Amino acid sequence: MKREILMEIEVVKENGEILKQVVELGTKNSKTLGHFPEGAYVDHARKGFLICAHQERILLGYILFSITSSKSYVRIIQLCIADEARGTGVAKELLNSLKNKFRFSLKGIALSCRCDYIEATSLWEKYGFKAMDKVRSRSLKENYLFKWWYDFGNHDLFSLSHSNSSKQKALLDANILIKLRNDRKDEISGTNFLLDDWLISEIDFFYAPEIYNEIKRDKNDQRARETRAFLSNFYEAKFDPDLRDIILEKLHPIISGSSENDLSDKRQLAECIAGEINYFVTTDEKILVADSEVNKLFGIQILRPIDIILRIDEDNNKSNYQSTRIAGVNYENGFLKSGEIDDLVDTLFDKNNSEKKHELRSIFTLASVNIKDCRTRVIRDNNRVILGVWISELSPDRLLIPLLRTTKSKLSSTLFKQIVSELINYAVIKKRNLIVIYDGFIATNDQETLENMGFLLKDGEWSKLAIRAIIRSSQLFDFGYVSDHYDEKSIKRRLSDISNSDEFLISLERKLWPLKFSDVDIPTYIIPIKPFWASQLFDYYAANDSIFGAKASVVWNRENVYYRNVKPVSEKNPSRILWYSSSSSDKYSIRTSSIVACSYLDESQIGEAKELFRLFKHYGIYEWKNIFQLAKHSPKTIIKALKFSDTEVFKYAVPFSQVNDILFTNGRKRNSFTGPLEVSNQIFLEIYKLGVNHK
């Protein structure tokens, strides 16, 4: 490239010596410029529409133009540079002069140039012009012209209204727009969901004018026309072109790549930043990895399509995205947020069983865009390490679980059980009577957990009835889906066998948890427990209200052990337990002097304190010092261990007075619950109804 030379820029006078040189240079290049009579040069000079560059009065080049007042733009008719001055920056200085003359009074600069003029095409594009259209010329030969446009970035009333819109603003890069034009079902990136109605009402989507130069490179003219027409569905970014160029220079060292496509991608980002648009949406990895640095310099965010969808939903529903405890444990339990999918995919994908990352990403994407019916929850510990993830989708009649994973840790097994319990409870609340888990990569030990919790495997899907109700066993098949999972004839035959019908009905009830049978003959005990132990063993409502919460390895476990003194009541098993949280001197305790949960009693053992602790030390929260205190500081003191499971925590604690009213109306004396009390099945059912329904 030739070095730049010193030059002067001035408006050509109609009678000056420079005008003659202009006519001579224009005539010499008429083959490419087209015929232009001498009088026309004089006329443009008279109007001030002819600017030249010269060195010591020797013409280096000129630019001849007109003003289209009705459309408020300047049109370049000729830009001509002397042979010896080409490559020295003359063309750029002439264009700068024209731009500076009209940038605050007009909209921009227009021109037409033949597509096969490669050198000129390179000049227009490098300066910042956009190839807005491709049309056939008027000549007899089949020549085509690009219609170029350089926008000064001045808002008109139409663009200004969108600039002042209260909606969020995001600019879609060329690749995203092309995918949208093609209506591609791009499930991995989420692109095809950007035009969903709910999102359009929340955000204005823009395109960078640089996209026209991307379209210019499309050899398929019909497709190029369709792409230009498709852009009418979006808003064009408006910006100061000089600011865009300054920003572009700052982006070059931040974002790698120097190919034509790389440079175009950077220009689109620069136009987004210059246009003060909040978000730049792309799938280009070279740009995505620069998000942090770009955000630090310019204050905008670079996001994938799925992340902009999550970001808008997060902004609109902040309360939904606030982290909560899971079952009383002080770990973060929150919705999937923008920017988290990569981390989840890398952490959860099962490479040992040949799971494909793109398929896992697709599951997260489909869940994330289904804002109305689908939710992804992520559990992290206090160091932000991922412990578990599940996706739930509400279909009209069931709860679908496309993904349910825990990471490898000491807590993975207990957490998996807790998540399944949460899903069962969620299905009940949402009145979906069937849960279907169709994650194909559930670990073997977790599959055993699903079986133990009443799930059945059929055609690669795990399903379970999720019904919270009190019914007679004869009503079981009144519920939909029951006959799909259980053999009605076989069950009714076994229930008719008087010798073991109760035993079978109890096992069936546990498989159908939290369903309760009203006609089962099963012992029930109201057992008092101190509020602290209740919160640590199962009552996550109380644990949630405390500063430190409960211990995950205990409260997430399906099976736990509670130690107490030996009392006259000798609990039988299997049986039901109603847990009575006693009074407390701690003024901060909640859910006290009330029944807070029910469980199944699996085992009751009486023995020396030290021996019982040895047998059951892997269950529950108790340490030896707690047992030693219970045993009055004697290891040989006889105490009782109650092993229980499948606890159902009541949303509504049933207070002392109501419990006693129920006892009284059922012919029982009022009780202070200082020790275990056996009650009838009818009393259990009345208390249970209050705990789960508050009616």
Side-chain angles (χ1 to χ4, degrees):
M1 182 178 177
K2 296 180 181 179
R3 63 181 180 84
E4 293 188 2
I5 60 177
L6 296 174
M7 68 187 83
E8 292 185 46
I9 305 294
E10 67 176 52
V11 176
V12 177
K13 296 182 173 58
E14 61 178 297
N15 297 318
E17 177 63 28
I18 293 291
L19 181 58
K20 293 180 181 180
Q21 295 182 53
V22 168
V23 174
E24 290 175 3
L25 183 60
T27 303
K28 178 182 176 181
N29 290 278
S30 61
K31 186 175 181 180
T32 54
L33 294 175
H35 177 68
F36 207 68
E38 182 177 348
Y41 286 106
V42 174
D43 184 54
H44 279 75
R46 183 184 305 117
K47 295 177 180 177
F49 292 171
L50 183 58
I51 299 173
C52 74
H54 64 86
Q55 186 179 43
E56 297 180 353
R57 310 306 296 172
I58 302 299
L59 183 67
L60 301 174
Y62 68 87
I63 187 167
L64 184 144
F65 57 92
S66 65
I67 301 295
T68 304
S69 300
S70 60
K71 296 185 178 180
S72 190
Y73 65 79
V74 55
R75 171 174 291 279
I76 294 176
I77 300 170
Q78 291 183 355
L79 174 62
C80 187
I81 309 300
D83 292 342
E84 62 275 14
R86 290 182 180 178
T88 61
V90 173
K92 180 180 178 181
E93 289 303 316
L94 287 169
L95 288 169
N96 284 344
S97 176
L98 184 65
K99 176 178 69 175
N100 294 335
K101 186 177 180 67
F102 297 106
R103 65 177 304 167
F104 298 114
S105 58
L106 300 177
K107 291 181 179 179
I109 305 171
L111 65 92
S112 297
C113 183
R114 275 179 47 173
C115 299
D116 55 338
Y117 289 176
I118 305 301
E119 188 176 351
T121 295
S122 177
L123 168 67
W124 307 130
E125 191 166 344
K126 185 176 180 181
Y127 190 80
F129 281 83
K130 314 302 179 186
M132 306 297 290
D133 203 358
K134 183 180 180 181
V135 298
R136 183 170 178 172
S137 70
R138 296 177 182 177
S139 64
L140 294 177
K141 293 182 179 181
E142 191 175 354
N143 293 322
Y144 286 86
L145 306 173
F146 280 129
K147 301 180 76 172
W148 294 90
W149 173 253
Y150 185 93
D151 200 303
F152 292 151
N154 299 323
H155 288 285
D156 54 25
L157 290 176
F158 181 74
S159 66
L160 189 62
S161 66
H162 295 296
S163 175
N164 295 330
S165 169
S166 60
K167 294 182 184 180
Q168 295 277 24
K169 299 175 180 62
L171 188 140
L172 308 177
D173 81 349
N175 289 330
I176 299 294
L177 289 163
I178 296 301
K179 289 176 183 177
L180 288 172
R181 180 206 64 188
N182 295 340
D183 194 25
R184 282 184 53 182
K185 302 305 179 186
D186 190 350
E187 297 175 352
I188 293 177
S189 71
T191 297
N192 55 309
F193 298 98
L194 289 172
L195 300 184
D196 283 0
D197 290 343
W198 80 269
L199 195 59
I200 292 297
S201 67
E202 301 292 339
I203 191 168
D204 286 333
F205 285 124
F206 290 76
Y207 64 88
E210 171 63 23
I211 192 175
Y212 287 107
N213 290 340
E214 292 259 3
I215 298 170
K216 173 183 70 67
R217 291 188 280 275
D218 192 340
K219 304 300 182 183
N220 186 320
D221 289 342
Q222 174 62 31
R223 187 171 59 200
R225 284 193 293 272
E226 290 174 358
T227 306
R228 292 188 190 98
F230 183 68
L231 294 180
S232 63
N233 295 294
F234 310 94
Y235 303 118
E236 180 180 329
K238 291 288 185 180
F239 50 84
D240 180 340
D242 290 340
L243 177 59
R244 181 268 319 277
D245 294 342
I246 293 170
I247 292 170
L248 183 60
E249 289 303 312
K250 293 181 179 180
L251 290 176
H252 284 314
I254 299 174
I255 302 172
S256 62
S258 57
S259 69
E260 191 172 39
N261 285 336
D262 290 333
L263 294 175
S264 181
D265 292 339
K266 293 180 192 180
R267 290 190 193 103
Q268 291 176 66
L269 177 56
E271 291 177 355
C272 174
I273 297 168
E276 297 181 347
I277 295 171
N278 315 69
Y279 303 109
F280 183 77
V281 184
T282 184
T283 56
D284 189 305
E285 289 298 330
K286 290 180 180 178
I287 294 182
L288 285 164
V289 298
D291 171 50
S292 179
E293 197 163 354
V294 170
N295 180 259
K296 184 177 179 181
L297 279 175
F298 304 108
I300 77 158
Q301 285 195 290
I302 302 170
L303 299 172
R304 287 187 173 86
I306 187 59
D307 288 325
I308 189 68
I309 293 171
L310 287 169
R311 176 59 55 84
I312 297 305
D313 185 57
E314 185 179 345
D315 288 344
N316 290 343
N317 301 285
K318 287 185 172 61
S319 61
N320 289 342
Y321 285 82
Q322 291 177 354
S323 295
T324 59
R325 290 174 174 177
I326 177 169
V329 177
N330 196 21
Y331 286 166
E332 180 181 311
N333 171 29
F335 285 167
L336 173 67
K337 298 178 181 179
S338 62
E340 291 186 336
I341 290 181
D342 283 348
D343 190 20
L344 293 176
V345 170
D346 290 340
T347 302
L348 296 173
F349 94 101
D350 191 348
K351 60 182 177 182
N352 294 327
N353 289 303
S354 303
E355 184 176 21
K356 303 295 190 299
K357 273 192 173 184
H358 73 273
E359 292 175 352
L360 181 56
R361 175 179 288 280
S362 178
I363 292 172
F364 280 115
T365 300
L366 286 173
S368 300
V369 298
N370 187 0
I371 298 298
K372 181 180 178 183
D373 298 317
C374 210
R375 280 293 180 257
T376 302
R377 297 198 74 93
V378 183
I379 303 169
R380 298 177 186 266
D381 66 15
N382 296 325
N383 295 316
R384 297 281 299 161
V385 174
I386 297 169
L387 298 178
V389 180
W390 76 92
I391 297 173
S392 58
E393 179 182 354
L394 291 170
S395 75
D397 58 352
R398 61 187 67 187
L399 179 65
L400 303 174
I401 313 298
L403 185 134
L404 172 55
R405 307 278 175 93
T406 55
T407 58
K408 291 182 179 179
S409 71
K410 293 179 180 179
L411 295 171
S412 57
S413 179
T414 52
L415 175 57
F416 186 87
K417 295 170 187 175
Q418 180 56 39
I419 292 174
V420 174
S421 297
E422 295 261 336
L423 290 172
I424 294 170
N425 191 52
Y426 182 58
V428 167
I429 292 171
K430 293 298 183 180
K431 295 180 170 47
R432 301 308 197 268
N433 289 345
L434 185 68
I435 302 175
V436 179
I437 301 173
Y438 54 96
D439 187 340
F441 294 90
I442 293 178
T444 302
N445 59 319
D446 291 333
Q447 292 182 26
E448 294 175 1
T449 296
L450 291 175
E451 288 180 356
N452 293 334
M453 296 183 74
F455 282 81
L456 300 175
L457 178 62
K458 183 179 180 181
D459 299 329
E461 297 180 347
W462 294 90
S463 57
K464 173 182 166 54
L465 298 166
I467 304 167
R468 178 175 284 141
I470 301 171
I471 63 170
R472 295 189 62 81
S473 56
S474 59
Q475 298 174 295
L476 177 61
F477 289 93
D478 293 345
F479 289 94
Y481 308 116
V482 176
S483 58
D484 295 335
H485 291 74
Y486 296 95
D487 186 330
E488 184 173 358
K489 290 183 179 179
S490 175
I491 287 178
K492 287 185 175 180
R493 183 174 61 252
R494 295 190 65 177
L495 290 174
S496 65
D497 183 355
I498 299 175
S499 62
N500 66 0
S501 61
D502 279 325
E503 181 181 346
F504 173 68
L505 198 54
I506 291 169
S507 67
L508 184 60
E509 179 181 283
R510 299 200 62 172
K511 287 285 185 183
L512 296 172
W513 182 91
L515 184 72
K516 301 290 184 293
F517 290 123
S518 61
D519 54 338
V520 64
D521 186 11
I522 179 173
T524 299
Y525 305 95
I526 297 177
I527 296 181
I529 185 172
K530 292 182 178 180
F532 172 77
W533 296 119
S535 69
Q536 296 302 298
L537 287 169
F538 51 78
D539 189 1
Y540 53 82
Y541 288 112
N544 280 336
D545 198 60
S546 70
I547 296 175
F548 300 105
K551 189 176 180 180
S553 59
V554 178
V555 78
W556 287 350
N557 211 331
R558 281 185 72 215
E559 298 178 309
N560 272 317
V561 168
Y562 177 58
Y563 298 91
R564 60 172 296 103
N565 291 315
V566 176
K567 293 290 183 180
V569 172
S570 181
E571 296 88 356
K572 301 173 185 177
N573 57 60
S575 59
R576 292 171 175 153
I577 298 174
L578 286 167
W579 293 103
Y580 178 80
S581 180
S582 58
S583 60
S584 173
S585 58
D586 184 354
K587 64 179 180 180
Y588 297 107
S589 292
I590 64 169
R591 292 166 62 87
T592 59
S593 300
S594 56
I595 291 179
V596 296
C598 67
S599 305
Y600 291 99
L601 178 63
D602 300 320
E603 188 176 347
S604 174
Q605 282 206 30
I606 296 174
E608 293 182 358
K610 192 169 185 178
E611 178 62 17
L612 285 185
F613 180 72
R614 185 188 66 79
L615 287 173
F616 295 114
K617 66 181 179 180
H618 297 299
Y619 296 97
I621 194 171
Y622 292 90
E623 299 177 10
W624 170 244
K625 64 180 181 180
N626 306 126
I627 307 303
F628 193 57
Q629 183 178 6
L630 176 66
K632 307 297 183 184
H633 305 96
S634 173
K636 293 186 175 296
T637 298
I638 303 299
I639 62 171
K640 183 186 296 183
L642 302 178
K643 185 182 174 192
F644 61 94
S645 62
D646 291 335
T647 301
E648 191 174 356
V649 182
F650 292 164
K651 183 176 182 180
Y652 308 102
V654 185
F656 174 85
S657 59
Q658 279 190 290
V659 176
N660 269 297
D661 287 345
I662 291 172
L663 290 176
F664 183 75
T665 57
N666 281 274
R668 299 290 298 273
K669 293 181 179 179
R670 298 181 184 275
N671 198 287
S672 58
F673 309 116
T674 56
L677 175 70
E678 186 171 1
V679 296
S680 67
N681 190 45
Q682 178 61 31
I683 291 173
F684 166 80
L685 295 176
E686 289 185 33
I687 293 173
Y688 178 82
K689 286 179 184 178
L690 289 174
V692 296
N693 296 319
H694 197 49
K695 292 180 181 177

